[in-house]
Amino acid sequence: MLYLVTLAYLGLASGACTRDLLRGITTSYLEALTSGKPASIESLGAEDTRLAYQENDVSLDISKGILSQGIAIDFNRSIYDTTECASYTEIVSTSRSHPYVIGTRLAVTSDSGRLNKIESVVCDDGDWLFNATGSLRYNKQEVWDPIPEEKRNTREVIKAAGDAYIDAWGDSSVQPPFSKSCARLEGGSYLTGNCKLNFQPPFKVTNRRYTIDEELGAVDIFHNFPFLDKFIPRDPGTQTNNLLRVEGGQIKYIHENTVCSKKNCAK
């Protein structure tokens, strides 16, 4: 009850989106995921509108999705976008019974402070390079500390770096601003030294949704990934997301999680 009062104050009294508002809603989401009680996060939506809920780009009844299972969370990292009023959280569970790596975007209506949409990329056994133990190990060794204010990049620079990384997949003339120490966590595999990828054109990545956090130098991009999944049409492809850390205008870390329509879908 206290949190709901605080939520109303932050959202309605200020009329602006804040990190505290997004952090509070994200914390409630993580608590719901752990408890297996989706009604607790559903209650943060608008009273007169059904909360939009998607897993792997498919609309679902929230009571039948991942939030209803109750998951032991081993690791989570969140970024907060006060311009778009959205958060993104990467979650790792190495549970023996059912490990997961989940990426969730929470969209909030800034003038009311109410949650209006939940989108999750839910990866488990059989998804692209899935290995929750590897994801946990490498996530823990990275440093995502807040960047000093005088060294922060603008959201435009951070977004441009993310777009360049994805655009280069189908256009070898695009040169993303990789740092010399760039590292890419793809599923549970960790690659260092060369983060550039290139695929046979045409290769158009569509349906991009951005969450940008200047304080952490981070951008997450939900999008469709063409080509990879042999069981579905090349375009628009399967659901994926990429989380990037940008320092001094250069890409330092990349995390990719991609679902398969069926187990072991890669061509």
Side-chain angles (χ1 to χ4, degrees):
M1 180 63 70
L2 177 60
Y3 171 66
L4 291 178
V5 172
T6 304
L7 173 63
Y9 175 79
L10 288 170
L12 295 174
S14 70
C17 188
T18 66
R19 293 184 76 85
D20 284 341
L21 172 67
L22 295 171
R23 187 179 291 111
I25 291 177
T26 301
T27 298
S28 292
Y29 168 80
L30 292 170
E31 290 172 351
L33 186 64
T34 300
S35 68
K37 297 178 179 178
S40 63
I41 189 70
E42 194 172 15
S43 68
L44 301 184
E47 293 181 1
D48 57 348
T49 305
R50 185 180 180 87
L51 177 64
Y53 183 78
Q54 292 183 339
E55 288 184 13
N56 301 338
D57 229 14
V58 176
S59 295
L60 291 179
D61 182 332
I62 194 171
S63 66
K64 296 179 172 58
I66 193 71
L67 278 162
S68 66
Q69 295 187 22
I71 292 174
I73 297 174
D74 295 300
F75 177 88
N76 70 88
R77 174 184 289 115
S78 296
I79 67 173
Y80 306 107
D81 186 335
T82 57
T83 300
E84 290 296 321
C85 209
S87 72
Y88 170 78
T89 303
E90 185 173 22
I91 300 148
V92 182
S93 173
T94 60
S95 168
R96 290 185 180 181
S97 60
H98 197 150
Y100 288 103
V101 176
I102 302 167
T104 293
R105 187 176 193 270
L106 304 176
V108 178
T109 302
S110 59
D111 59 353
S112 67
R114 309 300 297 191
L115 181 63
N116 66 61
K117 188 173 185 179
I118 301 175
E119 297 178 89
S120 292
V121 175
V122 181
C123 295
D124 60 3
D125 182 51
D127 286 322
W128 175 243
L129 297 178
F130 178 79
N131 184 324
T133 300
S135 181
L136 177 64
R137 178 189 309 121
Y138 296 119
N139 260 297
K140 284 185 172 182
Q141 75 181 29
E142 293 181 348
V143 178
W144 289 66
D145 292 340
I147 295 172
E149 190 168 359
E150 68 276 10
K151 294 183 178 180
R152 291 175 193 170
N153 293 123
T154 64
R155 65 184 292 111
E156 291 77 17
V157 168
I158 297 169
K159 179 178 181 292
D163 277 332
Y165 171 65
I166 291 176
D167 291 342
W169 294 349
D171 184 350
S172 59
S173 69
V174 176
Q175 298 298 317
F178 296 122
S179 73
K180 292 182 179 179
S181 60
C182 180
R184 182 161 56 89
L185 175 58
E186 191 168 348
S189 299
Y190 206 65
L191 307 172
T192 60
N194 183 8
C195 287
K196 188 168 185 179
L197 296 174
N198 191 248
F199 303 94
Q200 184 69 30
F203 197 90
K204 187 176 182 181
V205 177
T206 58
N207 197 23
R208 302 184 193 186
R209 288 93 80 199
Y210 302 88
T211 309
I212 301 171
D213 184 336
E214 297 94 330
E215 184 174 310
L216 292 181
V219 55
D220 181 77
I221 309 174
F222 270 56
H223 59 87
N224 292 103
F225 191 103
F227 166 75
L228 176 70
D229 195 324
K230 62 188 175 185
F231 299 112
I232 61 176
R234 175 187 175 100
D235 295 307
T238 190
Q239 178 65 55
T240 188
N241 78 285
N242 278 267
L243 172 65
L244 292 83
R245 164 87 165 190
V246 180
E247 297 180 3
Q250 296 186 323
I251 300 169
K252 184 172 183 178
Y253 301 131
I254 303 165
H255 294 183
E256 179 182 322
N257 293 303
T258 302
V259 298
C260 286
S261 60
K262 298 180 182 179
K263 283 188 176 185
N264 305 313
C265 65
K267 293 182 178 179

